[in-house]
Amino acid sequence: MRRMVAETRVAPAQLMLPVFVKEGIDSPVEITSLPGQYQHSTESIKELATRAAEAGIGGIDLFGIPEHKDEIGSQAWDPKGILNAGISAVREAVGDELVVCADTCLDEFTDHGHCGALTPDGRVDNDSTLPLYAAMAVSQAQAGAHMVSPSGMMDGQIAVIRDALDREGFTDVSIMAYSAKYASAFFGPFRDAVDCSLKGDRKAYQQDPSNRREGMRETLLDLAEGADVVMVKPASHYLDVLADVAEVSQVPVAAYQVSGEYAMLEAAAANGWIDRRRCINESLTSIVRAGADLVLTYWAIEAAQMFREEF
Ligand code: PBG
């Protein structure tokens, strides 16, 4: 009876897998603080993408880890840069079977680890960062991305990227906007995953966890600028924001179950303190129940199988 009347069902197609592609490695390297997740080579990322397509998930979201970082993150828009190479490799492997999305942000590419260019006195410079994001997004579209995903929280980034993509003829490439993205300690393991060189924090551009209305304000701005998908991130501790956004958004709403959410649950499960499978299921079901149309989760492949068995 419960199965028959369940109000929320999670479908494999609404899951998206974040993946890491790293320059200069031949075989996958496991990420210590994200057990079961790997930094991939451009070869092994193809196998992973193929498995993701076979699992029936909706898409994958690529993050790149370059060998050389500089002040402005110029590897980010280099056509031969690791992220662009990864996008092409994945498109070659899966064609249109998966939505191939790329992270459009400079933090993996800058030597200071911030999401944008800096002013001479070391602050993140919103406006001089925007053209860099535009160049990055265009290079990702050229590499074959179906969707670009600006996660740097610079004001005006969606409008600038939309305009640049359109001008280059990529009117069909969509934008998934990290809209309500909070300055969260739950990003910790991700920063290991991308060899992040950040000192300090991102509080000058990511949202304050105590602010609910502000998440909505950021989302409304991104909608007005032309976002095709809006995102709330992290997910589990921000279900109120997610429910607010789902109520007003005219476009699909994504939620990102971030690295810390994954790591906490994996660690507790490894200690035998919680039932791993049921907790994964419950966490994803709750995120969808709160209003997410799609969920970025490191469990995407495994969860697709799990939910298929469930219903
Ligand atoms: C920034 C970015 C971050 C994450 C996704 N994109 C890190 C940050 O903002 O510091 C975090 C994802 C996760 O924790 O799983 N490019």
Side-chain angles (χ1 to χ4, degrees):
M1 187 70 84
R2 285 163 74 97
R3 190 165 66 94
M4 187 168 72
V5 300
E7 294 174 42
T8 305
R9 294 173 209 275
V10 182
Q14 69 193 124
L15 302 176
M16 224 176 157
L17 178 69
V19 298
F20 304 100
V21 58
K22 180 171 173 155
E23 192 170 3
I25 57 171
D26 299 325
S27 50
V29 179
E30 190 165 14
I31 301 154
T32 313
S33 51
L34 283 178
Q37 304 299 314
Y38 296 81
Q39 295 175 326
H40 283 276
S41 68
T42 44
E43 270 313 305
S44 70
I45 197 88
K46 289 193 203 175
E47 288 157 38
L48 179 63
T50 306
R51 272 204 289 133
E54 283 164 5
I57 68 169
I60 74 174
D61 189 15
L62 284 100
F63 295 87
I65 309 150
E67 258 177 334
H68 303 290
K69 306 185 184 209
D70 62 26
E71 219 171 305
I72 55 168
S74 56
Q75 284 291 300
W77 54 88
D78 185 328
K80 295 202 185 70
I82 184 62
L83 182 49
N84 289 326
I87 295 166
S88 303
V90 165
R91 274 305 301 278
E92 198 183 297
V94 301
D96 290 327
E97 275 179 72
L98 283 179
V99 173
V100 177
C101 178
D103 186 60
T104 312
C105 186
L106 297 175
D107 60 321
E108 287 90 58
F109 297 91
T110 53
D111 52 16
H112 45 74
H114 273 296
C115 296
L118 302 183
T119 59
D121 63 349
R123 292 163 185 271
V124 173
D125 188 345
N126 190 96
D127 291 5
S128 74
T129 300
L130 295 176
L132 308 182
Y133 284 180
M136 185 177 187
V138 168
S139 74
Q140 293 175 329
Q142 280 161 346
H146 295 112
M147 183 154 85
V148 298
S149 193
S151 65
M153 294 301 284
M154 295 301 124
D155 294 337
Q157 61 186 10
I158 306 305
V160 165
I161 289 173
R162 182 72 273 157
D163 185 52
L165 289 172
D166 288 353
R167 264 190 288 118
E168 296 297 325
F170 294 111
T171 49
D172 288 345
V173 171
S174 12
I175 303 177
M176 176 163 72
Y178 286 64
S179 300
K181 178 175 179 181
Y182 287 85
S184 172
F186 290 99
F187 302 156
F190 174 94
R191 297 197 183 155
D192 296 339
V194 299
D195 305 340
C196 181
S197 31
L198 181 69
K199 292 176 205 74
D201 60 54
R202 306 201 197 288
K203 290 181 186 162
Y205 41 106
Q206 299 181 349
Q207 308 309 300
D208 183 340
S210 60
N211 293 354
R212 179 170 175 171
R213 275 196 308 264
E214 196 184 13
M216 181 61 76
R217 174 171 154 74
E218 290 285 340
T219 304
L220 293 174
L221 288 167
D222 284 356
L223 285 168
E225 289 178 31
D228 299 290
V229 179
V230 290
M231 189 200 292
V232 174
K233 177 187 174 186
S236 302
H237 298 80
Y238 295 81
L239 296 182
D240 54 339
V241 179
L242 178 57
D244 287 352
V245 167
E247 189 123 329
V248 301
S249 177
Q250 313 94 325
V251 302
V253 176
Y256 196 141
Q257 184 178 53
V258 301
S259 56
E261 298 176 62
Y262 175 95
M264 275 194 304
L265 209 146
E266 286 289 354
N271 274 297
W273 295 338
I274 55 171
D275 180 328
R276 181 177 179 278
R277 184 183 163 100
R278 287 185 56 208
C279 286
I280 293 173
N281 182 319
E282 188 176 327
S283 68
L284 287 165
T285 301
S286 301
I287 294 166
V288 173
R289 188 196 62 229
D293 300 298
L294 59 130
V295 185
L296 287 93
T297 172
Y298 298 98
W299 286 302
I301 292 180
E302 185 182 349
Q305 183 61 32
M306 206 182 276
F307 286 115
R308 202 171 271 122
E309 286 162 14
E310 201 95 343
F311 299 115

